[in-house]
Amino acid sequence: MNKNEQQSTVNSSRRNWLKSVGLGAGAVALTTSVDSIMGDLRAAGMQTEHFPSATPNVNDGLIRLSSNENAFGPSKKAAKAMQSELLNLARYTDATVEVLAQKIAKQEGVSADQIVITNGSSPILFGYADWITKNGNKLVTSMATYEGVPRGAEFMGADVTYVPLANDMTFDLDAIEAAVTEDTTAVYVCNPNNPTGSMVDAEKLTAFAKRVSKKAQVFIDEAYIEMSDAYPANVQSKLVAEGYNVVICRTFSKIHAMAGQRLGYAIMPAEQAKTMGGMLRMGGVNYLALVAGMASMDDHENLDTMRSRIKTEREKLVKVAKELKQPFAPNPQGNFIYIDTGMPHDKFAEKMKAQGIKVVGRTWPGYDSWSRISVGTPEETDACVKALKAVLA
């Protein structure tokens, strides 16, 4: 099968997949009773009278390596910043949003009016999908990539072209550029890519974005960029500063370990930021997330340590994949690996669950035997390694 036939097959299977899973594909099944977790919280000395009876319980007894969460937790300085502001939640946060925007602008070498801050990066991703439908309705991206923008765009009726990955499982920038026409609205590049963890060479990506952005806006999702070995050399925010038609998206959910607090931002042309910012921010951004985010940004020692700890755990998964002779996406740069398990992905997920490990229970079209596995704490990753040996040996 040639690449064009492969792309057509993948596009068709992906549309069918989207219909079957809908927008709730990431929902987590919760199995342990609410009464059980309430008892655990009370035993730990926590007051629970204010908890609603339907409080979700994620303590299902499994080691969760399915959602690329940062198991090491947020900076202690971020936690302290939140604690100190618990009594200051009565006001809306527009002024604080501007403070964080100025801080990000200084770090990224852009202007504050080019920054949009939201409750997590998801509003940006789905808001951008909506922007695509209103500005030409055509997106080009890669197969086996994060679904936020392409899934949202397809859901809203956009025409999405999926280009096969390169042989090294990175974005095939040459093929993507060849697929871009004068009618293309946007190009989506996730770097490091989720689920593969692979990165595009920074200089090649910069040159690509400069060329392609003359035809279509280039959206670069850098959710995992701070985890990459060559950070900050891999970042592309300079393209926005230099006036190119480029959007950069970041999140505090990954290296900052604030997935539960919801904080993300995008850097884009100022006029676009003004329009999208007003639409996406709505009533404002979570105040505790804002103060925690600023504290975490300043905790450079913690970020350096986090990068090192994540790499150590990631290398454990790479090592066991090599030992078991299982193909995997080379040189992963996020907090996960992408591995060919040699069996249907759902069967693999069931086998890992029996070993006490939760991994992704679905896969990306065209990669039915592949699974993404997140790193955890040293103890969690070690347990995963043991489970992989039991399941795949």
Side-chain angles (χ1 to χ4, degrees):
M1 182 182 293
N2 61 38
K3 280 198 171 185
N4 288 336
E5 291 172 330
Q6 182 185 16
Q7 178 178 323
S8 177
T9 299
V10 168
N11 286 348
S12 176
S13 64
R14 185 172 186 103
R15 283 189 291 271
N16 292 333
W17 176 75
L18 282 163
K19 290 177 183 177
S20 68
V21 300
L23 288 177
V28 178
L30 305 176
T31 59
T32 306
S33 71
V34 172
D35 289 343
S36 175
I37 192 171
M38 290 298 101
D40 291 341
L41 292 173
R42 284 190 291 270
M46 187 171 185
Q47 298 298 314
T48 60
E49 289 79 5
H50 61 289
F51 278 61
S53 60
T55 300
N57 172 28
V58 296
N59 184 19
D60 54 11
L62 298 175
I63 293 174
R64 290 174 49 168
L65 303 181
S66 57
S67 302
N68 295 347
E69 295 158 328
N70 185 344
F72 292 109
S75 157
K76 292 182 179 179
K77 292 181 179 179
K80 185 176 181 180
M82 285 188 285
Q83 290 171 342
S84 68
E85 295 295 322
L86 287 174
L87 298 180
N88 294 325
L89 302 179
R91 306 292 184 184
Y92 290 109
T93 60
D94 290 344
T96 312
V97 168
E98 293 306 315
V99 174
L100 177 56
Q102 292 288 347
K103 192 176 188 67
I104 293 170
K106 182 177 180 180
Q107 173 181 283
E108 301 299 326
V110 298
S111 61
D113 63 356
Q114 293 177 311
I115 295 169
V116 175
I117 299 172
T118 58
N119 290 304
S121 61
S122 294
I124 294 167
L125 299 176
F126 285 99
Y128 191 74
D130 181 65
W131 181 88
I132 290 171
T133 66
K134 292 177 172 60
N135 290 274
N137 215 34
K138 295 184 183 296
L139 172 69
V140 176
T141 189
S142 175
M143 58 188 288
T145 192
Y146 188 63
E147 306 98 326
V149 170
R151 180 199 290 178
E154 283 190 329
F155 182 80
M156 297 173 192
D159 178 9
V160 181
T161 298
Y162 294 92
V163 176
L165 292 169
N167 291 334
D168 62 356
M169 298 193 78
T170 62
F171 270 62
D172 190 336
L173 294 185
D174 292 336
I176 289 174
E177 185 170 359
V180 173
T181 69
E182 294 296 336
D183 294 330
T184 301
T185 309
V187 174
Y188 174 78
V189 177
C190 187
N191 196 50
N193 187 33
N194 175 10
T196 65
S198 302
M199 286 203 70
V200 178
D201 175 78
E203 291 185 4
K204 185 175 181 180
L205 180 56
T206 298
F208 165 88
K210 287 181 177 180
R211 292 192 306 271
V212 173
S213 64
K214 295 175 183 178
K215 291 184 178 180
Q217 189 167 73
V218 178
F219 187 109
I220 304 175
D221 188 340
E222 294 186 342
Y224 301 92
I225 198 75
E226 291 114 328
M227 296 176 177
S228 63
D229 295 341
Y231 177 80
N234 287 320
V235 304
Q236 298 291 332
S237 48
K238 61 183 180 292
L239 291 167
V240 184
E242 293 169 4
Y244 289 95
N245 190 22
V246 171
V247 175
I248 306 296
C249 187
R250 301 271 185 83
T251 180
F252 283 79
S253 294
K254 304 307 176 182
I255 198 165
H256 293 277
M258 289 171 48
Q261 274 291 14
R262 314 309 300 134
L263 185 65
Y265 64 92
I267 307 170
M268 61 182 69
E271 281 302 310
Q272 187 176 8
K274 181 179 180 180
T275 302
M276 291 191 70
M279 176 184 71
L280 298 176
R281 206 160 46 231
M282 296 184 183
V285 181
N286 176 359
Y287 181 62
L288 294 182
L290 292 169
V291 297
M294 287 187 277
S296 188
M297 285 178 67
D298 287 339
D299 195 350
H300 302 292
E301 181 180 356
N302 176 69
L303 293 174
D304 290 341
T305 299
M306 195 72 73
R307 191 175 300 112
S308 177
R309 295 175 78 180
I310 289 169
K311 181 176 182 178
T312 296
E313 301 311 306
R314 186 176 66 215
E315 288 302 311
K316 290 180 183 178
L317 297 181
V318 168
K319 181 181 179 182
V320 73
K322 290 179 178 178
E323 288 177 357
L324 295 172
K325 295 182 170 50
Q326 299 293 144
F328 65 95
N331 194 30
Q333 293 290 291
N335 62 334
F336 53 91
I337 70 166
Y338 197 47
I339 182 172
D340 188 348
T341 67
M343 68 183 76
H345 62 88
D346 52 352
K347 182 178 179 181
F348 173 71
E350 289 176 6
K351 287 179 175 288
M352 290 295 285
K353 185 176 181 180
Q355 297 289 325
I357 310 293
K358 181 177 176 60
V359 297
V360 179
R362 56 165 179 80
T363 191
W364 283 254
Y367 291 86
D368 291 341
S369 62
W370 289 72
S371 182
R372 188 194 67 201
I373 305 175
S374 310
V375 307
T377 63
E379 296 77 15
E380 290 173 338
T381 308
D382 291 345
C384 182
V385 167
K386 183 178 178 180
L388 286 170
K389 290 179 177 179
V391 170
L392 298 178

